């Protein structure tokens, strides 16, 4: 071998090593690629097949494995979390602030054995927290707060021995606080945990005494706003580390134990709104106490206790607590910021001395105070309404104090007056940029003076330095609307630097810095951040098109890809084998000999017959919401409380196991906001059932006739329905893999949700478009009279264009609100006739749905009619493809918006060529998008 050749070899090998380093693990690629097709609004830069190498937004990798997935605040929409549990090396997962994530947390989450951080703050997760969460042994941070989780707190959380942060607050969790029993550890086992945040749920029963022990490191015990009852366990006093104790708004009874009030580190104590009794607790040993709220309890009558003079106290709230006698003047020290003692029986003379704080707020309404020493020349916010001193026409300021002026937060800027463009705000540094905004909530705080700027500047500077040390491009922060209710909350405006707006990853990282509490902040307790969805992501309209492999990719890379694909296939097969051992599909084969391996499902659940029977109240009549040749559809409420539509095949229409499997495998891959998605299936006891998401507002047909829901579909709404359903069908044709022909599109298969978003339903008759069939499938003719493509009927050759024909009929229904065959007349003939009687262009109006109102106001009507007619051309080749239909409807919507009250010129032709572009140009509707029409559709590439 010549020297040169050796060099060449070395180079090739070197290159391959490099490539291997950049190629993401195929399993992780598969998971993320599936997310891309199932979730909406993922970052548009999720392109190609190498998430690690090409640094997809929100993803970080170590050695070709995905270890971090942060998609906070990106507006992600999904009903399931996909196959995320298969990202087996994942360590950090943050999906916070995506209100449209309405998923359950599946038991398979246990597969994330390397997870240390799970943050799902402010999404719409629902259903129970799975027991299997106890298998995530490496978890350090678990933030599930502000969701809709139901059911009990799993005891298994007690096995997460490295957990430092546990926040389950603001959910609908119920049941007892779980503690260890003979078989399993409970929350008392979490001796490294510093935060128990369980507030704002429906937890009941007592606060278990066993929860507390002296080996704990707990600093924040926050269980306010539940239904906890019984006494406060004295053992809480053994947790010397406690700093914040929030037991307020429960049904706690009995005396406040002296053990609690001897905790030296507690600085914030909330016991208000309970039924506590006995003497007013003596807090004089609590030398760190700064904020105490014991309002609205049933303590014995008492004078102002001596501990009111504790030096550390900034805030004392004891409204409605049977306090009596005179208020000693020595409690008015400079540190005191807020004294709330309304609805007591305090009497005599009020003397605030001379060393009170100028920002002090004192509320003494509804007491018995008769005089005020500093009658004039006082400088605090004082309210004495409903005291004897204010009776009989007294005129002191304190008698008409009302509420003190609301605090304003940090002055937002000192800039010369400038008007910024839309979505832009003047930053504290006088630049017009698009801030990321939201509200930060604090579970507790040691102060009350919201006029003292120190508290705002401290927060601002702490956040800024946390952002900067994480290399986030933040220019400045403004803080406004301070509000004190259950929690202290501020509005935050976070301004970008370098650019006018934030990228997705910047927004995401800002969210995660706050919600992961990557900073330490004096004066404030723990917090959470709920954002306003960000206005201004670059390239906001995300495309989720197929993978395009560039031609520039070298041959060796392709070889490698093939090699890894094979490895992947082998791996998947092994995985499937393994999965069979511990999963419900294992029973699959018992049912039938020809069923083969368990179905390969993406996020679709197996449901037991018993569960579905319960869900539908034994398939009772009143739960039937539809029926057809295959059987009946029931509305059902699963054990999780969620509502579904359950399609139950009748005896005559049961499929073979193999076909049923193929069908659920197919359906489980279909994820699009305009296509009804499959949640689960049942294959048991000779039953075949499909469990779909439940769409609440009925069919398009119902809504067009009578307006079943009372919601009239006006022109704009009909255009939106047309667009949604066209999008759904276009997805099936052009993006689903393999592509799917619906075969039974009709107005009863288009469902509307509560916001009148349309979703295409029922693929009972769907056929896959396999490669071998080269675009058409010859098969038995099926479909519904009136919607069926005549060409298909005659040739028996099914193509996507048959769906286009049926869709054209649906468009005509939207125009006329008539069924396709009505009083013996066919809708296509009628509309054409109406127009053909040309010379009288008003003809079309004779068949328009009268409830659409005056046709002059129907912007884009001309083009809509033309589009419908082009879809029902006799020859499939002359009909537009669904992607083109989508584009044209988008154009029509633009027109309708623009020309709301401009009368559109009338001109129709039933001699359409079927080319959308052709038919649009001769006519007057002014906004046309010729360039986009002549462009090849991106989707072509993905074939
Ligand atoms: C828990 O944390 C300790 C110290 O950081 C670490 O050594 C240990 O491996 C962790 N345990 C688990 C199960 O991750
Ligand atoms: C104030 O109330 C206390 C206890 O209710 C009573 O003993 C005292 O006489 C009252 N003082 C005045 C000035 O009314
Ligand atoms: C009261 O306080 C305000 C600001 O806190 C100050 O501007 C004002 O001069 C003070 N008035 C008196 C009488 O102390
Ligand atoms: C504002 O708060 C800080 C921190 O608690 C304190 O040191 C300072 O004295 C306060 N200023 C006023 C005017 O109360």
């Amino acid at each position: 071998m010549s020297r040169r050749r050796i060099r060449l070899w070395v180079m090739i090998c070197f290159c391959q090593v490099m490539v291997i380093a950049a190629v993401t693990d195929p399993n992780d690629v598969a998971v993320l690629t599936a997310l891309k097709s199932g979730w909406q609004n993922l970052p548009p830069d999720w392109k190609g097949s190498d998430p690690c190498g090409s640094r997809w937004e929100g993803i970080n990798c170590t050695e070709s494995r995905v270890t971090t997935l942060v998609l906070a605040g990106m507006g992600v929409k999904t009903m399931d979390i996909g196959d995320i549990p298969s990202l087996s090396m994942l360590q950090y997962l943050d999906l916070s602030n995506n209100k449209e994530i309405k998923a359950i947390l599946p038991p398979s989450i246990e597969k994330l054995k390397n997870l240390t951080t799970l943050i799902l703050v402010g999404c719409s997760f629902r259903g129970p927290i799975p027991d299997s969460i106890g298998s995530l042994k490496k978890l350090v941070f678990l933030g599930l707060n502000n969701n809709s989780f139901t059911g009990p707190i799993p005891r298994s959380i007690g096995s997460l021995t490295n957990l430092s942060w546990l926040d389950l607050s603001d959910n609908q969790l119920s049941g007892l606080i779980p503690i260890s029993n003979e078989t399993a550890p409970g929350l008392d086992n979490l001796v490294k945990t510093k935060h128990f945040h369980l507030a704002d749920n429906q937890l009941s029963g007592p606060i278990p005494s066993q929860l507390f022990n002296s080996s704990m490191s707990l600093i924040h015990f926050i269980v306010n706003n539940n239904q906890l009852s019984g006494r406060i366990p004295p053992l809480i006093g053994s947790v010397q580390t406690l700093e914040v104790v929030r037991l307020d708004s429960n049904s706690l009874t009995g005396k406040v134990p002296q053990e609690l009030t001897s905790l030296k580190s507690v600085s914030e104590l909330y016991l208000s709104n309970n039924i506590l009794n006995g003497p007013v607790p003596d807090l004089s040993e609590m030398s760190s106490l700064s904020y105490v709220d014991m309002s609205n309890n049933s303590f014995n009558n008492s004078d102002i206790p001596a501990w009111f003079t504790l030096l550390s106290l900034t805030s004392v709230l004891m409204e409605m607590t049977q306090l009596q006698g005179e208020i000693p003047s020595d409690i008015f020290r400079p540190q005191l910021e807020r004294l709330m003692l309304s609805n007591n029986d305090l009497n005599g003379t009020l003397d605030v001395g001379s060393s009170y704080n100028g920002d002090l707020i004192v509320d003494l309404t509804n007491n018995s105070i008769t005089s005020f020493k500093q009658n004039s020349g006082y400088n605090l916010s004082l309210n004495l309404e409903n005291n004897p001193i204010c009776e009989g026409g007294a005129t002191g300021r304190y008698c008409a104090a009302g509420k003190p002026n609301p605090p304003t937060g940090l002055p937002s800027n000192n800039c010369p007056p400038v008007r910024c463009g839309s979505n832009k705000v003047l930053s504290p540094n006088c630049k017009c940029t698009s801030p990321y905004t939201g509200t930060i909530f604090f579970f507790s705080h040691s102060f009350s003076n919201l006029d003292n700027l120190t508290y705002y500047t401290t927060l601002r500077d702490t956040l800024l330095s946390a952002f900067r040390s994480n290399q986030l491009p933040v220019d400045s922060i403004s803080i406004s609307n301070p509000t004190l209710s259950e929690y202290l909350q501020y509005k935050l405006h976070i301004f970008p630097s370098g650019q006018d707006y934030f990228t997705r990853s910047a927004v995401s990282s800002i969210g995660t810095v706050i919600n992961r509490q990557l900073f330490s902040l004096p004066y404030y307790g723990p917090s959470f951040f709920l954002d306003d969805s960000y206005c201004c992501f670059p390239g906001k309209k995300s495309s989720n098109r197929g993978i395009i492999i560039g031609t520039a990719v070298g041959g060796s890379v392709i070889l490698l890809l093939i090699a890894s694909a094979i490895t992947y296939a082998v791996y998947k097969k092994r995985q499937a084998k393994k999965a069979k051992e511990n999963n419900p599909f294992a029973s699959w084969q018992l049912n039938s000999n020809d069923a083969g391996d368990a179905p390969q499902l993406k996020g679709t659940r197996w449901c037991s017959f018993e569960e579905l029977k319960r869900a539908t109240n034994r398939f009772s009549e009143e739960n039937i919401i539809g029926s057809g040749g295959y059987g009946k559809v029931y509305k059902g409420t699963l054990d999780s409380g969620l509502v579904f539509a359950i399609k139950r095949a009748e005896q005559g229409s049961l499929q073979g196991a193999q076909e049923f499997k193929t069908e659920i495998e197919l359906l489980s891959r279909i994820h699009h906001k305009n296509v009804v998605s499959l949640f689960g299936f049942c294959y048991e006891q000779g039953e075949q059932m499909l469990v779909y998401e439940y769409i609440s507002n009925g069919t398009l047909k119902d809504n067009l006739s009578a307006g079943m829901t009372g919601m009239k579909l006006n022109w704009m709404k009909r255009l939106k329905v047309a667009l949604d359903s066209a999008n759904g069908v276009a997805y099936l044709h052009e993006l689903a893999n393999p592509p799917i022909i619906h075969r039974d599109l009709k107005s009863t298969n288009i469902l509307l949700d509560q916001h009148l978003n349309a979703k295409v339903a029922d693929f009972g008759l769907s056929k896959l478009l396999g490669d071998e069939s080269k675009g058409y499938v010859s098969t038995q003719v099926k479909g519904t009279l009136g919607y069926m493509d005549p060409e298909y009927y005659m040739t028996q050759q099914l193509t996507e264009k048959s769906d286009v024909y049926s869709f054209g009929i649906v468009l005509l229904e939207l125009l006329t609100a008539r069924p396709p065959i009505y009083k013996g007349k066919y809708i296509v003939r009628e509309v054409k006739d109406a127009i053909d009687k040309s010379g009288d262009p008003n003809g079309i109006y004779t068949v328009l749905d009268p409830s659409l109102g005056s046709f002059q106001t129907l912007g884009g009507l001309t083009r809509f009619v033309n589009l419908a007619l082009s879809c029902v051309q006799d020859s499939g080749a002359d009909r537009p493809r669904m992607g083109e239909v989508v584009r044209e409807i988008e154009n029509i919507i633009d027109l309708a918006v623009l020309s709301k009250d401009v009368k559109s010129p009338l001109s129709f032709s039933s001699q359409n060529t079927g080319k959308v572009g052709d038919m649009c140009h001769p006519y007057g509707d002014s906004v046309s998008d010729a360039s986009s029409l002549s462009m090849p559709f991106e989707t072509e590439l993905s074939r």
Side-chain angles (χ1 to χ4, degrees), residues 63 141 146 251 290 315 400 572 574 635 656 735 911 924 942:
E63 290 170 357
F141 193 101
N146 301 80
S251 303
S290 58
S315 320
K572 265 290 168 193
R574 261 198 223 135
K635 180 176 176 180
L735 292 173
Q911 301 307 116
S942 62

Side-chain angles (χ1 to χ4, degrees), residues 408-415 426-430 477-480 495:
T408 51
L410 266 192
S412 58
N413 60 59
N414 283 315
C415 309
L426 205 54
S427 76
N429 294 334
C430 305
I477 299 174
S478 77
I479 301 172
S480 54
F495 293 89

Side-chain angles (χ1 to χ4, degrees), residues 314 334-335 337 357-359 446-447 449 451-455 458 523:
T314 66
Q335 295 85 353
E337 301 174 353
N357 185 314
D359 289 329
S446 65
F447 61 92
N449 182 358
D451 289 320
N452 182 340
L453 293 186
T454 307
Y455 302 122
T458 303
Y523 312 124

Side-chain angles (χ1 to χ4, degrees), residues 733 738-743 765-782 789 791-803:
H733 287 181
I740 295 170
I741 301 179
H742 189 295
R743 289 217 290 177
L765 302 171
S766 296
K767 267 280 170 239
L768 310 190
L769 265 186
D771 290 335
E772 73 284 359
S773 55
K774 291 230 158 53
Y776 63 84
V777 180
S778 170
T779 174
Q780 251 181 297
V781 173
K782 282 178 184 161
D789 169 15
E791 191 178 51
Y792 162 50
Y793 187 74
M794 285 181 292
T795 63
Q796 301 210 359
Q797 299 210 318
L798 183 67
T799 74
E800 290 144 315
K801 294 297 180 69
S802 302
D803 278 353

Side-chain angles (χ1 to χ4, degrees), residues 237-303:
S238 62
V239 189
Q240 292 290 329
T241 44
L242 277 171
E243 293 172 9
V244 176
V245 177
R246 281 203 72 158
L247 310 178
D248 46 309
S249 297
N250 279 291
S251 303
L252 300 170
T253 52
K255 271 174 31 179
V256 175
Q258 183 259 326
E259 288 82 351
L260 170 62
T261 58
S262 44
L263 285 170
K264 296 270 185 303
S265 303
V266 170
S267 69
E268 286 122 80
L269 178 65
Y270 298 71
L271 301 174
S272 53
N273 299 311
N274 279 294
I275 324 166
L276 299 168
N277 57 27
V280 168
D282 175 8
L283 310 185
S284 51
E285 282 180 58
M286 304 185 79
S287 45
S288 308
L289 195 63
S290 58
Y291 192 107
V292 58
D293 185 356
M294 300 203 281
S295 299
N296 196 14
N297 276 296
S298 310
F299 301 127
N300 301 344
N301 289 359
S302 157
D303 289 347

Side-chain angles (χ1 to χ4, degrees), residues 67-121:
T67 49
T68 302
L69 182 58
V70 177
L71 300 173
M74 288 199 188
V76 173
K77 254 184 166 174
T78 180
M79 298 284 288
D80 67 68
I81 68 160
D83 210 9
I84 286 181
S86 297
L87 293 172
S88 56
M89 293 307 285
L90 198 62
Q91 296 169 14
Y92 194 111
L93 175 60
D94 185 348
L95 303 176
S96 302
N97 282 313
N98 289 295
K99 266 280 163 226
E100 294 294 325
I101 297 187
K102 300 183 174 164
I104 60 164
L105 207 53
S108 59
I109 194 86
E110 69 185 345
K111 291 197 283 181
L112 294 174
K113 293 278 187 263
N114 288 296
L115 204 63
T116 60
T117 307
L118 177 58
I119 315 181
L120 305 175
V121 179

Side-chain angles (χ1 to χ4, degrees), residues 241-504:
T241 44
L242 277 171
E243 293 172 9
V244 176
V245 177
R246 281 203 72 158
L247 310 178
D248 46 309
S249 297
N250 279 291
S251 303
L252 300 170
T253 52
K255 271 174 31 179
V256 175
Q258 183 259 326
E259 288 82 351
L260 170 62
T261 58
S262 44
L263 285 170
K264 296 270 185 303
S265 303
V266 170
S267 69
E268 286 122 80
L269 178 65
Y270 298 71
L271 301 174
S272 53
N273 299 311
N274 279 294
I275 324 166
L276 299 168
N277 57 27
V280 168
D282 175 8
L283 310 185
S284 51
E285 282 180 58
M286 304 185 79
S287 45
S288 308
L289 195 63
S290 58
Y291 192 107
V292 58
D293 185 356
M294 300 203 281
S295 299
N296 196 14
N297 276 296
S298 310
F299 301 127
N300 301 344
N301 289 359
S302 157
D303 289 347
I304 297 278
W307 56 260
F308 269 47
T309 57
L310 270 177
L311 278 187
S312 53
L313 273 177
T314 66
S315 320
V316 179
L317 293 80
M318 287 196 64
E319 307 182 316
M320 231 189 290
T321 41
Q322 300 80 46
L323 292 176
Q324 64 184 21
E326 249 184 13
I327 303 175
S329 66
D330 60 353
I331 70 169
F332 296 96
R333 302 151 295 105
Q335 295 85 353
L336 193 65
E337 301 174 353
R338 207 151 169 255
L339 182 66
M340 310 300 272
L341 302 175
S342 67
N343 294 296
N344 283 296
D345 197 21
L346 298 163
N347 66 7
T349 298
L350 174 66
D351 176 4
V352 295
S354 55
S355 56
Y356 60 85
N357 185 314
D359 289 329
L360 176 64
I361 296 175
V362 176
D363 184 355
L364 289 167
T365 51
N366 288 319
N367 277 288
S368 307
I369 290 167
T370 47
S371 61
F372 177 36
K373 185 131 184 260
Q374 288 79 4
N375 214 337
S376 58
Y378 68 94
N379 202 359
L380 70 153
S381 166
L382 172 65
N383 194 340
L384 288 172
E385 285 171 69
N386 288 319
N387 279 277
I389 185 179
C390 286
E391 275 160 17
T395 53
R397 270 190 284 148
Y398 42 77
C399 294
K403 290 235 179 321
N405 287 340
T408 51
L410 266 192
S412 58
N413 60 59
N414 283 315
C415 309
V418 176
R419 278 193 56 182
C420 296
S422 70
N423 285 331
K424 297 223 161 93
V425 179
L426 205 54
S427 76
N429 294 334
C430 305
K431 282 181 251 169
C432 284
T433 55
S434 300
Y436 179 42
T437 64
T439 305
I440 188 167
F441 296 80
F442 294 96
F443 281 110
S444 68
H445 43 98
S446 65
F447 61 92
S448 298
N449 182 358
L450 297 181
D451 289 320
N452 182 340
L453 293 186
T454 307
Y455 302 122
Y456 302 104
T457 54
T458 303
L459 172 62
R460 180 194 62 194
D461 298 343
T462 304
L463 287 179
L464 271 178
S465 79
F467 294 146
R468 293 198 177 135
S469 64
N470 284 282
Q471 277 88 45
L472 291 172
V474 174
D475 172 79
S476 48
I477 299 174
S478 77
I479 301 172
S480 54
N481 289 10
T483 309
L484 248 182
S485 53
E486 185 183 10
Y487 303 121
L488 172 64
Q489 62 192 68
Y490 303 141
K491 179 92 182 194
L492 296 183
H493 283 68
I494 302 166
F495 293 89
S497 75
Q499 270 177 313
D500 287 356
Y501 51 82
F502 284 114
T503 61
R504 283 179 178 71

